Amino acid sequence: MTTETTPTRTVRRGPYRNGIRTRHEILEAATGVFAQHGFIGGTLRQIADEVGVSPAALLRHFSSKEELLTEVLATSDARNGVEIFGDHEGLAYFDRSGALVRRNVENRRLVELLLTVKTEASDPAHPARSFMERRATRYREQLTEQLCIARDRGEIGAFTDEELEMEVHGYTALMDGIELQWLLDPKLDLVSLWDRHYAGLRARWVAGTAGQG
């Protein structure tokens, strides 16, 4: 005779749940410290002090400052990918950029961190250089793929592959540049500014007019 059994659900208690909470608090603190002081200027001790743990305790969750930075940015990228862009493809993918900008307004410290580390990592000797290079390459490839989908579906003009790559460079430069202006002048309406510039960019794509390179 066979007996149907109900799988036993493992209930996580005590140290496990506390560990998850501490890890989250470390990521939040790291975002703020790195945003304020940069990756090089920010220290593990500063982050540990923000959380209320020792540097040794912090290193039980993250083995190094480089790993901590990678996790902060990777966590943000993954969350945006799922919650904002989801399964959107082609031009619809880029139309979600406004939602990303709106989220960035609510996460100023993360924008500060990303732009600071991008600048610092221009130094070939920077510890995060390899990670930032891989991240930038992956991001450009993803955007180029979505523009190719838009072109092949007839949503935008018949751009060449080279032209699409140039458009992606322009798109990312526009995003970074507008957000940098906003960081320098918080009174700037970042959402309105992005929406207006993106509308012009989108119209040019649909018309099939390549940008001036």
Side-chain angles (χ1 to χ4, degrees):
M1 181 178 72
T2 60
T3 304
E4 182 177 346
T5 60
T6 301
T8 301
R9 184 179 65 180
T10 301
V11 179
R12 304 294 188 178
R13 296 187 177 91
Y16 181 86
R17 297 180 68 176
N18 290 338
I20 293 177
R21 183 174 63 250
T22 300
R23 183 180 177 88
H24 175 74
E25 291 174 350
I26 290 172
L27 289 174
E28 289 294 312
T31 299
V33 169
F34 288 153
Q36 181 177 357
H37 301 286
F39 176 73
I40 294 177
T43 67
L44 291 179
R45 177 167 291 279
Q46 288 172 314
I47 297 169
D49 288 345
E50 286 283 333
V51 180
V53 300
S54 67
L58 185 153
L59 289 172
R60 287 198 289 269
H61 295 272
F62 300 94
S63 63
S64 66
K65 189 164 73 167
E66 290 81 3
E67 181 187 348
L68 184 50
L69 170 68
T70 299
E71 188 66 22
V72 167
L73 296 179
T75 298
S76 174
D77 289 343
R79 184 172 62 248
N80 289 340
V82 172
E83 297 177 1
I84 294 181
F85 296 99
D87 295 329
H88 294 281
E89 290 186 333
L91 199 54
Y93 180 92
F94 288 90
D95 288 344
R96 296 294 296 160
S97 63
L100 175 62
V101 170
R102 286 165 174 78
R103 169 166 290 184
N104 287 346
V105 169
E106 300 172 356
N107 294 274
R108 180 184 177 87
R109 292 196 305 177
L110 193 58
V111 178
E112 291 175 340
L113 169 61
L114 181 56
L115 292 183
T116 297
V117 176
K118 279 185 177 181
T119 302
E120 289 181 344
S122 62
D123 179 359
H126 192 280
R129 173 62 179 252
S130 295
F131 170 76
M132 294 304 293
E133 283 182 329
R134 293 193 302 272
R135 182 183 184 276
T137 297
R138 184 174 64 251
Y139 186 48
R140 288 196 303 270
E141 290 176 347
Q142 184 176 3
L143 294 176
T144 301
E145 178 185 8
Q146 294 302 330
L147 271 186
C148 286
I149 291 174
R151 177 194 60 191
D152 296 344
R153 289 177 175 176
E155 297 172 346
I156 63 175
F159 294 96
T160 66
D161 289 349
E162 182 179 3
E163 287 173 336
L164 290 183
E165 291 177 3
M166 293 299 295
E167 292 297 327
V168 166
H169 281 290
Y171 173 89
T172 56
L174 176 63
M175 176 76 79
D176 286 351
I178 287 179
E179 290 185 335
L180 179 58
Q181 292 178 46
W182 169 65
L183 291 177
L184 293 172
D185 182 9
K187 297 186 299 296
L188 194 66
D189 187 344
L190 176 62
V191 171
S192 177
L193 188 60
W194 173 258
D195 286 348
R196 177 171 297 186
H197 279 278
Y198 174 67
L201 181 63
R202 188 185 194 281
R204 184 167 59 73
W205 286 348
V206 171
T209 307
Q212 299 299 316

